[in-house]
Every structure is written in structure tokens, then in C-alpha cells.
């Protein structure tokens, strides 16, 4: 059974926490709420969360100062700071201390949902020993140049392997056909063929047949490498 993405909300204002939880549910994710910094830190270490929505002025301290503790506790969740401290210097401080995004209060619900979707798309690429790149059930061995999905080997051509590693290095960002031509084919002009679409289509079919729905087309722009959202094929 597919797991539902979980989002941890560390927020002491009950009205704001409830509003954020509603937006989390609207995305098809499961919210969990703690109203103190200590409680949030404990939960971040024990729960499997994709995103943490973190307030700053919390009982127990500044949420931004606790980001290092969250990471030290083993959490790989993306962190969105949601705070009334919204001046440029305060946003910069939050990002430099490890936040993945920073949204000042008051916020528009549509913008919060968009920011959360973007963080969920970025997923959790993990790189170990400059060799293994892991993205959910997908594993890429850089030295052996092999690909596995759910421990099963997926045979790919050298060109498809180059495409996949470039996608993984740019997870969560739209990659254009021109970027792929320059990086994978070393072409700095558009040959006017569908060579990119053919190779990407072949790679995507191989991955999807193995259970990894991680490449999607972005109309008029290119491709996006991201974990599927709830309700999408392969999503929760």
C-alpha cells in the first residue's frame, strides 16, 4: 500500500496551525502538529516526514536556531519556515541556517500550497560516498553506472544513464530540451529532431515498468524529475 506523505507543523498559534493543517490535507498529505519547539524536535526525529513547517517565535526558542538540531536528529525532511519575522535579513538568516524555503506571515493559502508542492517535488535525493544517489525506491550507482528500482535492476543504455543522472541532479526543477542537448549530447544547437523526446520516453517507460514514476512532461518547457504527488500514478 502506498504511504501518504506526512508533514509536521511546529506552530504555537492554534488558528494558524489549523489553517496550515487544512492546506496540508488539501494536498492529500497527513498533518501532525506540535505547539512547542521541544515537542517538535522530538517528533521530527521519530517521525518520517517529507516536509516540516516551522515557526520561529516558539515556546522554547527560535525555530531557525533549531534547524541544526533537526538535522542532527536524523530528519531529511524539507523545511519551510513560516514566520511573522519576514524582513529580508530575517529571511536570509533562515535560509543560511538551513531552511529550504521561507514564507512570511501573513500568507496566501494558494502560495503556501504552491510552496509545499514545490518542496514535495524536490523530494529527498540522498548521495552517499559520492556513489549512490537514492530517490525514493530509485537508486543510481554512479561508479557501477547501474540503476535499481525496489532492488530490481533496470537496464539502461549509456545515454539513458546520462539522462537519468542529470535529471536526478536537478530534481524538482524543470529541465529544458536544450539543457539536455547541451549536457547529454554535447550539442549547443537544436538539431530540429525529436531525439530528446525519444530517449526520455524510452527511459521513462523503463522506470515506470519497474515502479518509479519520476519523470513527467511539462508542456512547452521540458521535463520535471520529481516524486509523484498523492493521487498521481505511483503517488500516495
Amino acid at each position: 500500500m502506498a504511504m501518504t506523505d506526512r508533514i509536521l507543523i511546529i506552530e504555537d498559534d492554534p488558528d494558524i496551525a489549523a489553517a496550515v493543517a487544512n492546506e496540508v490535507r488539501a494536498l492529500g498529505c497527513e498533518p501532525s502538529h506540535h505547539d512547542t519547539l521541544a515537542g517538535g524536535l522530538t517528533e521530527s526525529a521519530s517521525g518520517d516526514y517529507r516536509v516540516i513547517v516551522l515557526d520561529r517565535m516558539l515556546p522554547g526558542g527560535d525555530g531557525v536556531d533549531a534547524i541544526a538540531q533537526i538535522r542532527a536528529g536524523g530528519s531529511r525532511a524539507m523545511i519551510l519556515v513560516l514566520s511573522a519575522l519576514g524582513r529580508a535579513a530575517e529571511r536570509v538568516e533562515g535560509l543560511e541556517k538551513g531552511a529550504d524555503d521561507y514564507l512570511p506571515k501573513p500568507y496566501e493559502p494558494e502560495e503556501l500550497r504552491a510552496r509545499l508542492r514545490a518542496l514535495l517535488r524536490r523530494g529527498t535525493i540522498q548521495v552517499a560516498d559520492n556513489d549512490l544517489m537514492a530517490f525514493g525506491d530509485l537508486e543510481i550507482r554512479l561508479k557501477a553506472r547501474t540503476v535499481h528500482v525496489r532492488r530490481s535492476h533496470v537496464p539502461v543504455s549509456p545515454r539513458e544513464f546520462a539522462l537519468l543522472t542529470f535529471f536526478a541532479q536537478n530534481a524538482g526543477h524543470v529541465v529544458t530540451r536544450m539543457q539536455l542537448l547541451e549536457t547529454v549530447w554535447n550539442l549547443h544547437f537544436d538539431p530540429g529532431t525529436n531525439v530528446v523526446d525519444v530517449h526520455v520516453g524510452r527511459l521513462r517507460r523503463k522506470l515506470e515498468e519497474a515502479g518509479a514514476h519520476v519523470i513527467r512532461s511539462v508542456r512547452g518547457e521540458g521535463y520535471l524529475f520529481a516524486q509523484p504527488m498523492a493521487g498521481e500514478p505511483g503517488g500516495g
Side-chain angles (χ1 to χ4, degrees), residues 2-9 24-25 27-34 43-53 75-78 116 120 124 227 230 236:
M3 297 291 289
T4 299
D5 292 329
R6 302 177 70 207
I7 294 180
L8 174 62
I9 303 163
V24 168
R25 293 190 190 93
L27 293 173
C29 299
E30 176 187 338
S32 177
H33 172 228
H34 281 263
E43 182 61 22
S44 70
S46 61
D48 183 16
Y49 294 98
R50 292 281 306 279
V51 178
I52 297 173
V53 179
S75 174
R76 293 189 174 90
M78 310 299 283
L116 290 173
L120 289 166
T124 54
Q227 291 185 352

Side-chain angles (χ1 to χ4, degrees), residues 156-207:
V156 296
S157 69
R159 189 81 74 187
E160 291 162 357
F161 187 83
L163 278 171
L164 182 57
T165 52
F166 187 72
F167 277 133
Q169 289 162 353
N170 293 276
H173 299 280
V174 174
V175 172
T176 68
R177 289 174 176 78
M178 197 63 225
Q179 286 178 296
L180 293 172
L181 284 169
E182 291 177 349
T183 304
V184 179
W185 278 266
N186 197 30
L187 291 178
H188 299 280
F189 63 95
D190 188 343
T193 69
N194 64 346
V195 61
V196 171
D197 296 319
V198 169
H199 280 78
V200 172
R202 188 178 298 142
L203 172 62
R204 178 158 56 183
R205 282 194 297 276
K206 290 181 179 179
L207 295 175

Side-chain angles (χ1 to χ4, degrees), residues 43-185:
E43 182 61 22
S44 70
S46 61
D48 183 16
Y49 294 98
R50 292 281 306 279
V51 178
I52 297 173
V53 179
L54 179 63
D55 191 15
R56 291 198 62 165
M57 296 178 287
L58 288 161
D62 186 336
V64 161
D65 290 336
I67 291 176
Q69 296 179 60
I70 292 173
R71 296 304 184 208
S75 174
R76 293 189 174 90
M78 310 299 283
I79 296 177
L80 168 63
V81 174
L82 184 63
S83 173
L85 301 178
R87 292 183 301 172
E90 293 161 337
R91 299 197 302 272
V92 169
E93 179 190 18
L95 294 169
E96 289 190 341
K97 288 188 174 179
D100 297 290
D101 197 0
Y102 196 116
L103 179 61
K105 299 173 184 173
Y107 62 89
E108 293 295 331
E110 295 82 1
E111 184 175 5
L112 174 61
R113 289 198 298 273
R115 303 264 190 139
L116 290 173
R117 277 195 295 268
L119 291 175
L120 289 166
R121 284 198 300 267
R122 287 171 63 180
T124 54
I125 278 282
Q126 303 166 36
V127 180
D129 301 328
N130 294 320
D131 181 25
L132 172 65
M133 299 180 73
F135 193 79
D137 294 327
L138 171 66
E139 294 185 352
I140 307 167
R141 291 283 180 183
L142 300 176
K143 294 176 182 173
R145 299 179 67 81
T146 57
V147 178
H148 290 80
V149 175
R150 297 173 184 169
R151 305 294 181 186
S152 296
H153 177 248
V154 180
V156 296
S157 69
R159 189 81 74 187
E160 291 162 357
F161 187 83
L163 278 171
L164 182 57
T165 52
F166 187 72
F167 277 133
Q169 289 162 353
N170 293 276
H173 299 280
V174 174
V175 172
T176 68
R177 289 174 176 78
M178 197 63 225
Q179 286 178 296
L180 293 172
L181 284 169
E182 291 177 349
T183 304
V184 179
W185 278 266

Side-chain angles (χ1 to χ4, degrees), residues 215-231:
I215 299 176
R216 69 188 73 172
S217 299
V218 180
R219 185 183 297 274
E221 296 186 60
Y223 298 97
L224 179 69
F225 183 88
Q227 291 185 352
M229 298 284 290

